[in-house]
Amino acid sequence: MRFTVIIVTYNRSGLIERALDSIAAQTLAPAEIIVVDDASTDDTADVVARWSTRNAAPVTFIAAERNGGEGVVRNIGMKAASTPLIAFLDSDDEFRPDAMERLIAPLIADPSLVVSFADAFVMPEPGPGLPPRLVESRLARDVETSPMEGAPDGSGWHRLNDPQSTLLLVSMIPSCSAMFRRDAAEAVGWFPEYRRAGDWLFWLKLTDRGGFSCQFFDAANVYRQGDNLTSAGTDALWAQQMLHVYLGLRDGSIPLALTPANRSRLDSAIDEKVGHYRYWFSRKGWRAYWQALGQEEARATGSRLAHLLRDPKSAARALYSSLRS
């Protein structure tokens, strides 16, 4: 079965060759390589063209007219793909050599599966107490997965017992360690065009389309870059985006057939995320906090007065942050 690897990139001319080299080193080669450039200002296009010529490996290079973010450019790539299966690779990460061969196998064997995923190793390795693998640290293997029926002996193929419940509140699938069916992605409206939380929501929406296979091996190396790290400002925006998505799942504006149990879990998660929202915006000072309490996400969960009364500590923190600045 044919598959496409899609790389989305922005100002990664110094790193993208490593990603492309890892595709060329695969034990099972893709039918297509598509690179979508999110309006970079560096020489990414020239680097990709030279790599393609040097390796005699055709690459479809698509330059976005304007910077739209990860979701926009991934959708450009998916719509351009002509194969039934797709894998993502970020331009600063790399596949392990047998990743594609091992990820595609369960999808070929079982048509009811829509996603096949594995783990990824974080590079450089995190410090003491921090997990080096993304799936291993978040998935309860003996509780949330079962060996796949009919899997080849020694394959290590597992299946998520309840994909929606497992993925509802936890982002665990590394985008560079998964393969999925293109028609399923189209059926759920493609990739969410958010600046944040798009990966998690994409996999969650795909739970409406079929089963998920998982394997416990490292399919990729994920590299931490300086612009991947967070701060109070980015944490506040993360909290806002996640709250926005949670509310959309609850009111149906983001379609997902939630079970009654998961709807109840979502309600509890909204209450918790509102607290995160207030906390992170309060750290930015009173003006930012007051404005945040007037945003649609906050208004959907209470008036400004209700938030102030419910969480006086955040109000005090916002005032203190303003006095310190």
Side-chain angles (χ1 to χ4, degrees):
M1 189 175 288
R2 300 166 70 245
F3 68 95
T4 298
V5 175
I6 297 173
I7 297 178
V8 298
T9 186
Y10 176 70
N11 286 346
R12 289 282 195 257
S13 64
L15 296 171
I16 194 169
E17 284 189 275
R18 180 176 64 196
L20 290 165
D21 285 343
S22 77
I23 298 173
Q26 288 300 297
T27 55
L28 181 65
E32 298 176 321
I33 303 172
I34 297 176
V35 175
V36 188
D37 183 79
D38 196 14
S40 291
T41 57
D42 63 8
D43 60 340
T44 295
D46 292 336
V47 170
V48 172
R50 288 195 298 268
W51 183 92
S52 178
T53 299
R54 186 170 65 251
N55 290 273
V59 176
T60 299
F61 187 88
I62 303 172
E65 294 182 1
R66 61 182 63 85
N67 183 267
E70 178 183 67
V72 172
V73 288
R74 280 187 172 170
N75 285 338
I76 291 172
M78 284 193 286
K79 292 173 184 178
S82 64
T83 63
L85 299 175
I86 292 173
F88 292 140
L89 178 62
D90 287 346
S91 57
D92 52 351
D93 298 331
E94 64 181 337
F95 289 140
R96 298 286 181 94
D98 59 352
M100 299 296 95
E101 183 175 6
R102 295 179 70 175
L103 287 172
I104 200 172
L107 293 168
I108 294 174
D110 188 345
S112 73
L113 297 172
V114 293
V115 175
S116 169
F117 72 94
D119 216 330
F121 193 84
V122 178
M123 303 282 287
E125 191 170 345
L130 297 175
R133 290 180 173 84
L134 300 176
V135 176
E136 182 180 74
S137 62
R138 301 170 186 175
L139 181 63
R141 178 173 178 170
D142 295 335
V143 176
E144 297 178 288
T145 78
S146 299
M148 279 182 58
E149 293 184 7
D153 291 341
S155 66
W157 297 357
H158 283 67
R159 189 182 187 110
L160 292 186
N161 296 329
D162 183 350
Q164 185 185 101
S165 295
T166 296
L167 301 175
L168 179 63
L169 303 176
V170 180
S171 177
M172 72 169 66
I173 299 180
S175 62
C176 55
S177 296
M179 189 177 289
F180 59 93
R181 299 193 191 276
R182 184 186 183 278
D183 59 356
E186 183 176 12
V188 300
W190 304 108
F191 199 90
E193 295 188 351
Y194 297 136
R195 290 281 181 173
R196 298 166 181 83
D199 280 336
W200 159 74
L201 183 57
F202 179 63
W203 305 124
L204 179 61
K205 289 170 66 178
L206 284 174
T207 63
D208 267 355
R209 306 305 302 176
F212 281 56
S213 166
C214 60
Q215 300 177 64
F216 298 93
F217 74 96
D218 295 327
N221 294 329
V222 174
Y223 290 84
R224 294 178 182 269
Q225 307 297 333
D227 53 2
N228 290 340
L229 304 179
T230 62
S231 65
T234 56
D235 282 330
L237 294 175
W238 266 105
Q240 183 175 15
Q241 183 68 80
M242 291 300 297
L243 181 56
H244 177 86
V245 173
Y246 283 177
L247 292 168
L249 290 170
R250 185 172 70 178
D251 66 23
S253 59
I254 298 175
L256 186 69
L258 289 168
T259 65
N262 282 338
R263 183 171 294 278
S264 177
R265 291 175 64 210
L266 182 63
D267 287 337
S268 298
I270 288 171
D271 291 340
E272 181 180 11
K273 191 58 64 178
V274 170
H276 295 167
Y277 177 88
R278 289 192 298 254
Y279 172 80
W280 287 112
F281 274 102
S282 71
R283 290 188 56 182
K284 299 178 67 177
W286 180 258
R287 182 175 181 181
Y289 186 60
W290 183 254
Q291 290 175 341
L293 295 184
Q295 294 293 323
E296 63 173 309
E297 293 83 8
R299 293 199 310 271
T301 57
S303 65
R304 275 193 171 110
L305 178 60
H307 283 292
L308 292 172
L309 293 174
R310 199 175 300 150
D311 188 3
K313 286 185 178 180
S314 287
R317 187 182 303 110
L319 289 169
Y320 178 71
S321 297
S322 289
L323 291 173
R324 287 185 60 194
S325 61

